Amino acid sequence: MTDPRTRVDELVRCYARAGSSAAALLCDGHPADAVAFTVIEPDLSSRDLTYGELRAESTKFAAALDDLGVGPGDAVAVLMGKSAELVVTLLGIWRRGAIHVPLFTAFAPPAIELRVGASGAKVVVADAGQCDKLDGLVGGAGPHLVVVGQRPGSTGHDDFHDLLARHGDAADAPAALGPDGVLIELFTSGTTGAPKAVQVPIRALAGVQGYLEFGLDVRADDVYWNAADPGWAYGLYYAVLGPLAAGRRSLLLHAPFGPALTWQILDRFRVTNFAAAPTVYRSLQGAGEVPSGLALRCVSSAGEPLTPDVVAWSESVLGVAVRDHYGQTEQGMMIGNAWADTLREPVRPGSMGRPFPGWNVAVLADDATTPAPHGTIGQVAVDVPNSPLATFRGYARASGTSRFSKDGRWYLTGDTATLDQDGYFRFSARDDDVIIMAGYRIGPFEVESVLLAHEKVAEAAVVGRPDELRGEVLEAHVVLTAGAEGTPELVSEIQQLVKDRYARHAYPRAVHFTDALPKTPSGKIQRFLLRQDG
């Protein structure tokens, strides 16, 4: 690989060209016969999609959008699973110069309505099985509906494949919006409050491709599979957008996640480079027989911090230790235990790594302007003027909401961490989740990692509760494993475990047993709801 600093400069220049076209950068500039995606069905049959096919089909869909009144800068919402039609839809939107608004297929109608309404989407493209969620939202004065698949007995919409057939002779005229043209309007997951709209410009592709090269080390001969859902940032950016930008083949599973099916795909398709959220690795632990002789070279995780048990399991079972990476919807991936040969170093247990090339990241003290002492919890912040891959400048239509320091230098992530003398970050918590007890700042993740070590604990979330003497004390909400009983004796065991493995002062004063923890559709624990329950 080229020197990382030089490579960052190359990527920035590539995606900052005046008059650049998303269609050319993501599709048309690659060899027509090269495979872009392999779409895998539940029965393990598969279909290869070449860049030539994607160019032809997305040209038809772009023309269809034009006929539906969609122009450059207009929003098109997409409620679809991972499929060939999804990729054609996205490339058609970008070829038209329109903005893609992702809708996660697990969303309930209110979440869909919020995003469609806030973005002003003119068209919604949806799988037939998702259309019931759109009743009352589309048609009439609302967005036009395009349906992928058969929806018997329904009217008032266009069929996706019929649209393509009707525009078979469409001329290819991709919009050229330049580096600031918006590709995506993606809403934050609502971990600590209402979702906010993040607009992703073409120039952000530099950081997306940079992560594929630096963080994941996706090579031309890799069989790359990012199992994250494209309804959310990690799947959309790095299972779809990044491979298209880099010209790397990517696998797409046209089926819901399942541990047994995941094992089969890893084995049958000889996956060498795999990325997923920690919940996927946890689901694979103890689920089905592990195939022998897996081809895995790189295994990566993002979305929530990795607990030590997952790392140990992956090294033992997968033959390679999973590496933790950190990022956000707003900026993409910024920090991690890189896989690229020029950057790879031994993983420090519990660390989320160091900043990737193109990112200057610090841990700031409470004043949000000066670095915190090494080993002290502070807020993770991006030094924007000195981070050439940072492109986020603020939320769309969110006046009064800022994530920047007063002087504009620092982008404040809202996450807290510590930084050691060698530049390694160790995640602590969302800033809103930090517990301050008798002057001690306690990150709930550290306590949760200890709780998860108990054989009867399946999931755990720790929050702070007001306390007259100490300011705050810790409280744990625990989901037990099947068959376990929440007894007073188990409460005492859990409290003692924290005292023994973390700190005597940081044990949970109360332990609540529950059937489920509140989560966003992408699987992140919403601790703010647990605090409100009290």
Side-chain angles (χ1 to χ4, degrees):
M1 179 188 286
T2 306
D3 170 72
R5 184 174 298 180
T6 301
R7 183 57 181 151
V8 168
D9 292 341
E10 291 174 350
L11 289 169
V12 170
R13 287 196 300 271
C14 174
Y15 295 106
R17 293 170 184 159
S20 53
S21 159
L25 292 166
L26 298 173
C27 180
D28 305 350
H30 301 306
D33 60 350
V35 175
F37 294 93
T38 297
V39 181
I40 303 170
E41 301 297 332
D43 62 1
L44 299 184
S45 62
S46 63
R47 171 193 172 190
D48 286 340
L49 287 173
T50 67
Y51 284 102
E53 291 175 279
L54 289 176
R55 178 172 186 170
E57 296 302 292
S58 64
T59 294
K60 298 174 189 176
F61 191 64
L65 289 175
D66 186 12
D67 281 355
L68 293 174
V70 174
D74 289 333
V76 178
V78 177
L79 183 60
M80 298 173 66
K82 293 169 278 190
S83 63
E85 290 85 354
L86 171 68
V87 183
V88 170
T89 297
L90 299 188
L91 282 170
I93 292 169
W94 296 329
R95 189 175 294 279
R96 182 70 188 123
I99 300 171
H100 165 224
V101 180
L103 301 173
F104 185 39
T105 53
F107 276 154
I112 294 170
E113 185 175 359
L114 182 153
R115 288 158 174 80
V116 172
S119 66
K122 287 190 172 182
V123 171
V124 178
V125 187
D127 288 334
Q130 294 286 330
C131 287
D132 289 348
K133 299 176 183 179
L134 301 171
D135 290 343
L137 179 62
V138 296
H144 187 79
L145 176 63
V146 176
V147 177
V148 181
Q150 296 298 315
R151 196 185 183 204
S154 63
T155 59
H157 66 266
D158 276 307
D159 177 85
F160 178 83
H161 291 287
D162 284 349
L163 280 179
L164 296 187
R166 294 206 301 267
H167 293 84
D169 297 327
D172 187 7
L177 303 183
D180 295 315
V182 178
L183 292 170
I184 299 161
E185 181 165 304
L186 179 60
F187 287 73
T188 60
S189 59
T191 307
T192 57
K196 296 178 287 293
V198 176
Q199 293 191 331
V200 181
I202 288 175
R203 67 170 70 248
L205 291 172
V208 172
Q209 184 171 344
Y211 172 65
L212 229 69
E213 296 181 10
F214 302 133
L216 300 176
D217 191 33
V218 179
R219 303 176 182 177
D221 59 352
D222 265 329
V223 178
Y224 170 61
W225 183 24
N226 183 322
D229 194 285
W232 292 101
Y234 196 62
L236 178 58
Y237 295 173
Y238 308 114
V240 178
L241 205 58
L244 286 172
R248 295 288 185 254
R249 173 188 175 222
S250 179
L251 303 186
L252 285 180
L253 173 60
H254 188 209
F257 167 77
L261 184 56
T262 299
W263 284 127
Q264 291 176 320
I265 293 170
L266 290 172
D267 182 31
R268 176 76 64 87
F269 289 86
R270 308 302 294 160
V271 175
T272 60
N273 200 318
F274 182 62
T279 51
V280 168
Y281 296 105
R282 289 194 177 282
S283 297
L284 291 175
Q285 289 178 274
E289 184 175 349
V290 181
S292 60
L294 292 174
L296 290 168
R297 179 179 68 85
C298 299
V299 182
S300 307
S301 175
E304 285 280 300
L306 281 174
T307 49
D309 63 300
V310 174
V311 179
W313 169 84
S314 70
E315 190 164 22
S316 171
V317 174
L318 302 180
V320 59
V322 58
R323 289 182 168 238
D324 199 8
H325 297 158
Y326 166 84
Q328 290 191 319
T329 300
E330 292 87 342
Q331 298 282 17
M333 304 305 291
M334 302 173 278
I335 299 170
N337 295 284
W339 277 109
D341 287 343
T342 56
L343 301 168
R344 190 184 315 152
E345 296 184 5
V347 174
R348 300 193 179 189
S351 170
M352 59 189 191
R354 300 203 289 188
F356 293 124
W359 295 96
N360 192 318
V361 189
V363 171
L364 300 184
D366 289 340
D367 62 5
T369 58
T370 58
H374 292 306
T376 302
I377 292 177
Q379 185 164 189
V380 179
V382 177
D383 185 354
V384 176
N386 296 299
S387 297
L389 296 182
T391 59
F392 177 73
R393 296 295 180 263
Y395 299 107
R397 304 175 301 278
S399 59
T401 301
S402 179
R403 293 294 292 272
F404 295 88
S405 59
K406 290 181 179 179
D407 61 2
R409 175 182 175 182
W410 297 100
Y411 164 76
L412 308 174
T413 65
D415 293 331
T416 60
T418 59
L419 178 64
D420 68 21
Q421 293 182 341
D422 297 322
Y424 285 84
F425 288 74
R426 189 178 297 268
F427 184 85
S428 176
R430 286 286 307 175
D431 192 41
D432 290 352
D433 294 334
V434 170
I435 303 158
I436 303 177
M437 188 181 73
Y440 293 99
R441 293 168 64 88
I442 301 168
F445 172 71
E446 295 159 297
V447 181
E448 290 162 4
S449 294
V450 175
L451 297 179
L452 290 168
H454 195 288
E455 61 182 5
K456 294 183 179 180
V457 175
E459 293 185 280
V462 172
V463 296
R465 290 292 187 202
D467 181 80
E468 186 174 347
L469 179 63
R470 302 174 183 85
E472 284 185 297
V473 293
L474 277 73
E475 194 168 79
H477 296 257
V478 171
V479 178
L480 297 176
T481 56
E485 185 178 355
T487 63
E489 290 77 14
L490 182 55
V491 170
S492 297
E493 285 182 29
I494 286 172
Q495 291 172 328
Q496 190 61 45
L497 188 66
V498 175
K499 292 178 183 179
D500 292 343
R501 297 196 182 183
Y502 179 56
R504 297 193 66 80
H505 71 281
Y507 75 93
R509 264 59 175 182
V511 178
H512 303 286
F513 299 110
T514 182
D515 293 332
L517 298 174
K519 298 178 181 178
T520 67
S522 62
K524 295 183 180 179
I525 297 171
Q526 294 175 304
R527 296 183 184 87
F528 75 100
L529 291 179
L530 296 174
R531 290 195 294 270
Q532 291 174 1
D533 288 343

